[in-house]
Amino acid sequence: MTRSIYFRTTMTLLATTILTCGHVQAGDLLIWSPVKTAPRAYQATVGFRVPMEWEASAGADLGLGGLPGGKIENGSQLATLWGKLADDRNTFDGSVSRQVALRVDPLRSDSTLVLSRSRNWIYSEDIDLGMSHSLNINYAANGNEAASLNASQALTMTSPWTGTVVSASGTFTDVRGAFTSSLAFDQSIAPNLSFNASLTDPMSSSKSSDFRLNYQVKW
């Protein structure tokens, strides 16, 4: 009975807040993004930004879902704490982006740390290049899942004049000690027509390929 009353009270307060504040324009330093995800489920992202040389922000993702009769739906609870440092800069020949992000889920006793860096620049009159690196560290305190580390790198070459994009990427996962790689080719043929080809793990015996001709219709 107490659990049912608590759920009704929580849902009422969250729904009222969303309906009354959903259209309020918060300041640049305040993060407020409520949403109703289902007839009896609500989520909200709350946080703040700190004016620094790097864009710093922190907050929480909160959510709750219910069943008819006022009971809480199992697994619907959301209470994730997060923080992020981001540095996006324009350079003479392109742009550079760096980011550090941390997410902690106290309900499920796990956390994720992501370090990433990307750069886009003009290599020549006909070619643009893009490169990205990321390191993803996952930790589960409940012991059911082992900590894991994923490292990935990608390189993209684009020809704006011909509409050609060639990319290569690789990912290392320490859980299985496995390395996966892929090559991709994308060619724009017409405004609504493009050709795509990809090859996964080209150096292994389990390599696979995919070829597609895509036509996009808008109405």
Side-chain angles (χ1 to χ4, degrees), residues 107-181:
L107 296 179
R108 296 166 180 80
S109 301
D110 59 30
S111 58
T112 302
L113 175 65
V114 179
L115 309 175
S116 63
R117 184 181 187 276
S118 63
R119 180 192 173 199
N120 297 287
W121 72 98
I122 300 173
Y123 181 76
S124 67
E125 294 183 357
D126 301 320
I127 296 177
D128 296 341
L129 293 179
M131 180 176 290
S132 63
H133 315 267
S134 67
L135 180 65
N136 191 315
I137 303 173
N138 300 298
Y139 175 75
N142 55 21
N144 295 329
E145 298 180 4
S148 63
L149 184 148
N150 297 333
S152 62
Q153 180 171 312
L155 176 66
T156 302
M157 182 178 66
T158 305
S159 176
W161 304 111
T162 62
T164 304
V165 180
V166 179
S167 61
S169 63
T171 302
F172 172 78
T173 304
D174 74 326
V175 175
R176 302 186 306 271
F179 176 79
T180 59
S181 60

Side-chain angles (χ1 to χ4, degrees), residues 84-99:
K84 183 175 70 173
L85 289 172
D87 180 29
D88 299 321
R89 299 185 181 184
N90 293 322
T91 61
F92 176 76
D93 58 349
S95 62
V96 176
S97 176
R98 294 176 291 179
Q99 187 177 114

Side-chain angles (χ1 to χ4, degrees), residues 48-86:
F48 59 91
R49 298 182 180 90
V50 179
M52 299 173 56
E53 182 178 358
W54 283 45
E55 180 183 341
S57 58
D61 295 334
L62 306 174
L64 195 63
L67 299 172
K71 295 182 179 180
I72 297 177
E73 183 179 359
N74 291 332
S76 67
Q77 300 91 338
L78 174 65
T80 303
L81 306 177
W82 55 266
K84 183 175 70 173
L85 289 172

